[in-house]
């Protein structure tokens, strides 16, 4: 679908990751804001438990806050409604309180129209009909999805139009982890997303990722302009698709599918740090995600290994760590 051909690998992929903030960028770890300025943690009674102000994840406000705090990219989850509109939402099901029916409804994005999607959650227009969002918590119960700073859910097209051009987009194609997805549905989603990117992007840096190996390979076959990275847990045996259960399997997916890199859960790298050299020797970019990416020592350890980028919830803190390390390198501050 993209007429241009611009393959990213090695130093060119690193140049993409460092964003547009540096006029003369040197290789460094890219900071990628997870779902914007961090995922939301919902517990019983809707309380947020990590002690930090929470911004509604995967929204324009969250993306722009991450950009203003120095993130190079924001990572977000894209699904496609049944009438063909790419929207930004993480969970497999939207859980909403239908006051007319007096019950909680569970709906997949692919079974909802865009109009139905826009009627769920916080709305800036008070006259609109809304259904409050809920989330399932660890004990299997449901809690209102409360945050310190709320914002409306949004479409991919709105994100391109309303988010600061200073921040790039890591677009994750989101699919069910355990159920089979027909090839026709993969193509429907990929074509809808690529159509919006082609029509809405005005030079913003973009790359794609997905946990679904067939989806990310198909996207790579559909276009060669934007990099495509394979997401993996790195060390897991819980998925029926064995390609998702090890870093070496992920390397094989990338090499056979002509992908540009891997996005791994950070624990896999911590357990087997020597694999970073193997991944880089294969010419692949390596990013990581996970709660431990919010820990300064873990961040700096990955820097020393040569990890190319980290997906973080605590954007301001990790940007500060990056700047502190840069200052140390030029002797501006002391230990």
């Amino acid at each position: 679908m993209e007429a241009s051909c611009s393959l990213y690998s090695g130093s060119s992929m690193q140049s993409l990751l460092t964003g547009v903030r540096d006029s003369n960028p040197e290789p460094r770890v890219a900071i990628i804001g997870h779902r914007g300025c961090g995922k939301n943690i919902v517990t019983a009674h809707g309380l947020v438990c990590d002690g930090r102000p929470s911004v509604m994840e995967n929204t324009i406000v969250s993306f722009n806050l991450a950009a203003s705090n120095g993130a190079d990219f924001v990572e977000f989850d894209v699904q496609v409604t049944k009438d063909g509109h790419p929207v930004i939402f993480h969970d497999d099901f939207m859980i909403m309180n239908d006051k007319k029916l007096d019950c909680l409804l569970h709906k997949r994005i692919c079974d909802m129209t865009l109009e139905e999607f826009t009627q769920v959650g916080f709305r800036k227009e008070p006259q609109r009909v809304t259904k409050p969002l809920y989330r399932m918590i660890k004990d299997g119960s449901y809690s209102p999805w409360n945050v310190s700073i709320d914002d409306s859910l949004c479409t991919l097209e709105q994100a391109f139009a309303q988010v600061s051009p200073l921040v790039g987009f890591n677009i994750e194609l989101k699919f069910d982890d355990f159920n089979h997805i027909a090839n026709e549905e993969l193509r429907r989603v990929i074509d809808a997303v690529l159509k919006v990117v082609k029509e809405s992007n005005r030079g913003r840096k973009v790359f794609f990722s997905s946990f679904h190996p067939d989806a990310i390979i198909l996207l790579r076959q559909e276009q060669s302009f934007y990099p495509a990275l394979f997401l993996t847990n790195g060390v897991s045996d819980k998925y029926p698709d064995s390609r998702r259960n090890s870093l070496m399997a992920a390397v094989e997916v990338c090499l056979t599918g002509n992908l540009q890199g891997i996005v791994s859960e950070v624990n896999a790298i911590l357990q087997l740090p020597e694999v970073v050299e193997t991944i880089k020797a294969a010419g692949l970019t390596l990013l990581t995600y996970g709660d431990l990416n919010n820990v300064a020592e873990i961040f700096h350890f990955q820097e020393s290994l040569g990890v190319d980028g980290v997906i973080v919830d605590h954007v301001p803190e990790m940007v500060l760590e990056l700047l502190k390390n840069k200052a140390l390198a030029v002797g501006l501050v002391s230990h």
Side-chain angles (χ1 to χ4, degrees):
M1 296 184 66
E2 290 288 340
S4 302
C5 180
S6 178
L7 299 181
Y8 290 91
S9 62
S11 60
S12 60
M13 185 65 190
Q14 181 60 51
S15 177
L16 175 92
L17 286 171
T18 51
V20 298
R21 299 176 186 276
D22 302 327
S23 58
N24 187 21
E26 298 177 357
R28 61 170 177 80
V29 179
I31 304 293
I32 302 166
H34 187 207
R35 306 183 199 173
C37 214
K39 68 180 179 182
N40 299 149
I41 301 173
V42 178
T43 62
H45 311 298
L47 300 176
V48 178
C49 66
D50 69 353
R52 307 170 76 251
S54 58
V55 182
M56 184 63 189
E57 66 182 42
N58 281 331
T59 61
I60 302 298
V61 165
S62 189
F63 300 149
N64 278 325
L65 186 58
S68 67
N69 278 294
D72 297 295
F73 279 76
V74 288
E75 177 272 349
F76 53 77
D77 311 273
V78 172
Q79 304 183 56
V80 175
T81 63
K82 71 177 180 181
D83 52 348
H85 296 274
V87 298
I88 301 177
F89 191 74
H90 171 269
D91 297 358
D92 290 334
F93 289 92
M94 291 193 83
I95 304 171
M96 64 204 82
N97 183 0
D98 190 309
K99 295 180 180 179
K100 290 183 180 179
L101 298 177
D102 191 28
C103 66
L104 293 180
L105 300 180
H106 295 61
K107 285 194 172 184
R108 293 184 183 274
I109 299 297
C110 62
D111 296 325
M112 301 174 69
T113 64
L114 177 61
E115 182 178 5
E116 290 171 327
F117 176 82
T118 60
Q119 291 177 354
V120 179
F122 176 84
R123 300 302 306 169
K124 295 184 177 72
E125 308 86 355
Q127 72 274 17
R128 295 290 298 274
V129 176
T130 63
K131 299 179 175 67
L133 266 173
Y134 277 64
R135 214 170 203 179
M136 182 182 287
I137 57 180
K138 288 185 177 180
D139 65 3
S141 63
Y142 299 96
S143 181
W145 193 331
N146 293 334
V147 292
S148 307
I149 302 171
D150 216 338
D151 192 24
S152 305
L153 303 176
C154 64
T155 67
L156 180 60
E157 185 177 6
Q158 288 171 328
F160 273 109
Q162 299 176 32
V163 174
S164 167
L166 288 177
V167 71
F169 286 174
N170 169 193
I171 300 174
E172 179 186 338
L173 301 178
K174 180 78 175 178
F175 298 95
D176 188 290
D177 282 331
F178 294 96
N179 294 316
H180 173 72
I181 310 295
N183 193 59
E184 293 78 8
E185 175 64 8
L186 296 181
R187 286 189 177 276
R188 184 187 79 90
V189 169
I190 289 167
D191 288 348
V193 171
L194 287 178
K195 182 175 185 292
V196 169
V197 174
K198 181 178 181 180
E199 294 175 352
S200 301
N201 196 12
R202 299 294 183 268
R204 187 190 304 272
K205 294 190 174 187
V206 170
F207 67 92
F208 292 96
S209 61
S210 182
F211 280 106
H212 197 300
D214 293 330
I216 199 64
I217 290 171
L218 181 58
L219 180 138
R220 177 67 184 83
Q221 292 170 348
E222 288 283 312
Q223 60 82 46
S224 59
F225 186 76
Y226 299 108
L229 281 65
F230 179 45
L231 269 158
T232 179
N233 292 82
V235 285
S236 171
D237 58 2
K238 67 179 182 179
Y239 296 106
D241 190 330
S242 61
R243 294 173 295 177
R244 291 192 55 178
N245 292 332
S246 77
L247 279 170
M248 294 316 298
V251 170
E252 184 64 23
V253 168
C254 290
L255 295 180
T256 58
N258 199 21
L259 307 179
Q260 280 76 29
I262 294 170
V263 188
S264 172
E265 215 286 334
V266 63
N267 275 296
I269 303 303
L270 299 178
Q271 292 176 32
L272 199 66
E274 58 268 26
V275 79
V276 175
E277 187 175 343
T278 302
I279 292 170
K280 303 306 281 295
L284 300 172
T285 292
L286 175 61
L287 312 181
T288 65
Y289 69 93
D291 292 341
L292 288 177
N293 275 355
N294 301 306
V295 177
E297 293 79 8
I298 301 298
F299 171 80
H300 293 306
F301 179 61
Q302 292 183 83
E303 273 190 301
S304 71
L305 292 176
V307 170
D308 296 296
V310 290
I311 299 173
V312 305
D313 295 297
H314 299 178
V315 172
E317 293 88 339
M318 293 303 106
V319 170
L320 181 60
E321 287 298 323
L322 182 69
L323 295 174
K324 282 166 55 179
N325 225 32
K326 189 173 182 180
L328 282 168
V330 298
L332 296 179
V333 298
S334 59
H335 290 280

